[in-house]
Amino acid sequence: MKINMKNLFKYTFAACVGLVLASCNGDYDDWAQPQTNGEEEAMTIPGYKVAIAHTDVIDLASQTEDSISIFTLAEASNLPAGARVEKNTVELTPIGDDKLANASTKTLTADLNGKVSIAELQSIAEAAYGKRPVARPFKAQVYSRVNLNGDDLLIDAGQFTLTVVPIAPYIAENYYVVGGPLDWFQSANTKELKFEHSAKDVYEDPIFTITIPTSGDSWFAIGDDEALDAIANDNVWNKLFGTTGKSEDLSGKLDYRYNLGGDYSLHVVDPSAKFIVITLNMMERTYEIKTIGDAPKLFLVGGLTGWSPDNAAKALLIPESNTVTSFTAKYSGAWDLKLWKLEDLGSWDDCWGCIVDGCNDPSGELITSGAQAISAPTAEYYTFTVNTATMQYTWTRLDNQNPTEYTLIGLIGGFNGWGSDLEMTQVTNHNWYAEATFDSDTELKFRANGGWDINWGANVDTSNNSYFFGVGTQGGSNISVPAGTYKVYFNDITGRFAFLQ
């Protein structure tokens, strides 16, 4: 019969020590009762345990070294003669009510003085609870690996509660623009220029965005509720954020005015700009600013068109103004759309949408981070309208739920001798697309089914010939189009059209 000498040694050793203790004390302490640690048994030895535990809350952000001692073991002299501690480990199990659903026990190595890595504590706290910098409790179970005359023993050294605060900057729930298109005090008092957010925990998604109108020369600052309340109630302005760089920098770092020692407000100068888009990353305390000049160029992708970027490029929301754009069609009422800006076409990370996947509310806010698909309220004809200044969308149900359907929509004009139509492609129901090159300035119209009984024309301003739009009416004026190559979009219900170079 083969004998496991290691186990025989452990239990013989435990029995001997137990008898000695019983004869000295008159009591029998079954210290050798194994404790569970995975599949391996751990022993306990009287007197060898955690002597001092770090039970105060440890704020990891305040630590100046890369490790910290979280426990001290009793003297190794309590171990049998010849025993040598080779390493210590700590099993950390989250015990807070707000731990994440997938949180699990993690093990980290401690040196002989009970020191553990700050970086590993940070990683374990984030994995168990998330990044929010609040006190996070763990059950800390300490084990020692002991070598006794060549035998490897696992010793249970006891447990305690360890509480740590992860490293992260303070992130507020809300941020606002102060100044910009409004009076500074007014904007602080009303809080109407509020940044959009995905509604996720701000430490999991620290991105905030806003689009504000501009006259081409705008000064503004950024603040949270505390900062704006300080202005409104006490006329205290130094809790706002300013830039650590130059005021005109379109990207950079943010810091509080009281740290900067001055205003350091943001200043955007762009005479062609109609809007300013501001994006904040409050985990990194950074900002990025983009300016928008022309009417919005938004494209529809989703259940209505198919989830292809190629299809989306043919499904432009046709502008009604420099801030409002829309798309009229019969929707399915299920995951109908997300939106892409022209410069982000094909990038799923940069889609616009709603907070809740499949949201079918009659109106709502648009988000640009973690966006979900928007659904029409019902499976009927609607105009889906977007206001890029307020980042709001609305659904307007059509009174006429049986609009005329056409087999062909075409372009006809001086460019082709007013002869045969340049046929457009139907991208979705009632929405048409074509690519056309005009070697010289021309006049043209849209018409249906190759005949003149139904045609659309309009007198529109084409001074910005890289992107112009209008509303065609039955029998309206010829549309004057400057020479160039265009992508042409048309809706046969509304008569709206757009030409994009």
Side-chain angles (χ1 to χ4, degrees):
M1 179 177 66
K2 184 176 181 179
I3 298 174
N4 187 321
M5 296 304 295
K6 180 178 177 180
N7 286 341
L8 177 61
F9 170 80
K10 286 201 296 184
Y11 293 113
T12 302
F13 172 74
C16 291
V17 175
L19 288 173
V20 171
L21 291 175
S23 64
C24 293
N25 303 331
D27 297 319
Y28 175 70
D29 182 5
D30 188 12
W31 60 269
Q33 179 66 35
Q35 306 296 312
T36 59
N37 178 46
E39 298 181 354
E40 186 174 6
E41 296 177 349
M43 302 174 63
T44 57
I45 295 180
Y48 184 79
K49 59 182 179 180
V50 172
I52 302 174
H54 200 314
T55 55
D56 294 336
V57 176
I58 302 173
D59 185 352
L60 299 181
S62 67
Q63 303 306 308
T64 57
E65 299 183 1
D66 59 6
S67 63
I68 184 173
S69 178
I70 61 172
F71 65 86
T72 302
L73 290 169
E75 293 293 334
S77 59
N78 291 320
L79 292 171
R84 182 178 71 254
V85 179
E86 295 195 328
K87 78 171 184 176
N88 297 311
T89 57
V90 186
E91 290 185 352
L92 295 180
T93 304
I95 55 176
D97 293 336
D98 54 348
K99 61 182 179 294
L100 301 177
N102 60 348
S104 60
T105 298
K106 301 292 184 182
T107 301
L108 69 160
T109 300
D111 70 10
L112 298 184
N113 296 312
K115 278 191 171 184
V116 297
S117 163
I118 294 292
E120 290 183 11
L121 280 177
Q122 172 77 13
S123 177
I124 290 172
E126 286 185 7
Y129 291 100
K131 297 179 180 179
R132 185 176 289 274
V134 297
R136 303 303 195 185
F138 292 87
K139 180 185 76 174
Q141 172 66 57
V142 181
Y143 293 99
S144 293
R145 282 284 179 188
V146 175
N147 184 297
L148 182 59
N149 300 324
D151 283 287
D152 178 35
L153 305 180
L154 182 65
I155 308 299
D156 179 350
Q159 60 183 239
F160 62 97
T161 298
L162 178 71
T163 306
V164 300
V165 179
I167 302 168
Y170 170 73
I171 302 178
E173 297 296 318
N174 304 306
Y175 289 95
Y176 309 86
V177 168
V178 178
L182 301 178
D183 173 80
W184 283 67
F185 188 82
Q186 175 194 354
S187 57
N189 192 51
T190 62
K191 299 182 179 180
E192 57 188 288
L193 300 178
K194 182 180 178 181
F195 280 80
E196 305 293 336
H197 186 258
S198 66
K200 296 179 181 178
D201 186 290
V202 294
Y203 286 91
E204 300 306 318
D205 178 15
I207 307 300
F208 296 77
T209 59
I210 191 172
T211 301
I212 60 173
T214 178
S215 61
D217 188 342
S218 295
W219 285 90
F220 57 90
I222 294 160
D224 57 16
D225 285 296
E226 180 182 358
L228 271 64
D229 290 344
I231 296 170
N233 299 329
D234 304 311
N235 200 30
V236 173
W237 294 79
N238 67 357
K239 293 185 178 181
L240 291 172
F241 283 104
T243 177
T244 62
K246 297 178 181 178
S247 292
E248 287 73 27
D249 290 345
L250 296 181
S251 63
K253 288 271 191 179
L254 297 169
D255 200 353
Y256 292 106
R257 283 183 170 184
Y258 56 72
N259 288 331
L260 295 170
D263 289 353
Y264 292 90
S265 298
L266 298 160
H267 186 204
V268 179
V269 182
D270 183 349
S272 66
K274 302 293 192 303
F275 297 93
I276 299 169
V277 181
I278 311 165
T279 302
L280 307 179
N281 182 333
M282 295 311 293
M283 183 67 75
E284 305 294 334
R285 291 274 171 87
T286 59
Y287 69 91
E288 183 177 4
I289 298 171
K290 294 180 180 179
T291 58
I292 299 175
D294 291 333
K297 303 179 184 72
L298 295 176
F299 295 83
L300 187 149
V301 63
L304 186 65
T305 59
W307 297 90
S308 161
D310 290 339
N311 289 345
K314 300 173 184 177
L316 174 76
L317 277 72
I318 299 177
E320 300 178 16
S321 70
N322 276 340
T323 61
V324 177
T325 187
S326 64
F327 197 94
T328 300
K330 184 174 184 179
Y331 293 85
S332 67
W335 295 278
D336 287 299
L337 62 92
K338 290 186 179 183
L339 303 174
W340 270 318
K341 294 187 296 182
L342 176 62
E343 59 267 32
D344 298 325
L345 199 68
S347 172
W348 293 106
D349 291 338
D350 295 310
C351 269
W352 294 14
C354 60
I355 295 172
V356 179
D357 195 26
C359 178
N360 61 355
D361 294 338
S363 63
E365 70 175 281
L366 286 166
I367 61 172
T368 60
S369 174
Q372 303 298 314
I374 303 171
S375 298
T378 56
E380 296 180 281
Y381 281 95
Y382 284 88
T383 295
F384 175 77
T385 303
V386 171
N387 186 321
T388 54
T390 63
M391 291 300 286
Q392 298 286 315
Y393 68 86
T394 57
W395 292 98
T396 303
R397 183 181 179 275
L398 301 192
D399 292 333
N400 179 13
Q401 287 293 310
N402 294 289
T404 303
E405 298 198 11
Y406 304 103
T407 57
L408 168 68
I409 296 292
L411 288 168
I412 188 169
F415 71 96
N416 61 4
W418 298 96
S420 58
D421 294 59
L422 188 161
E423 295 186 10
M424 304 186 76
T425 300
Q426 188 167 211
V427 180
T428 73
N429 57 87
H430 302 279
N431 288 277
W432 304 80
Y433 170 82
E435 295 181 9
T437 298
F438 308 121
D439 294 330
S440 59
D441 296 352
T442 188
E443 294 185 346
L444 56 77
K445 280 192 168 186
F446 298 92
R447 69 176 183 174
N449 301 330
W452 285 108
D453 53 333
I454 301 175
N455 68 87
W456 294 268
N459 183 11
V460 296
D461 178 10
T462 61
S463 56
N464 178 9
N465 61 15
S466 65
Y467 190 37
F468 60 90
F469 50 89
V471 182
T473 58
Q474 168 64 23
S477 303
N478 293 343
I479 303 169
S480 298
V481 180
T485 297
Y486 295 89
K487 296 177 179 179
V488 185
Y489 305 85
F490 179 73
N491 182 281
D492 66 42
I493 297 176
T494 65
R496 293 193 176 278
F497 61 85
F499 287 72
L500 172 62
Q501 282 194 317

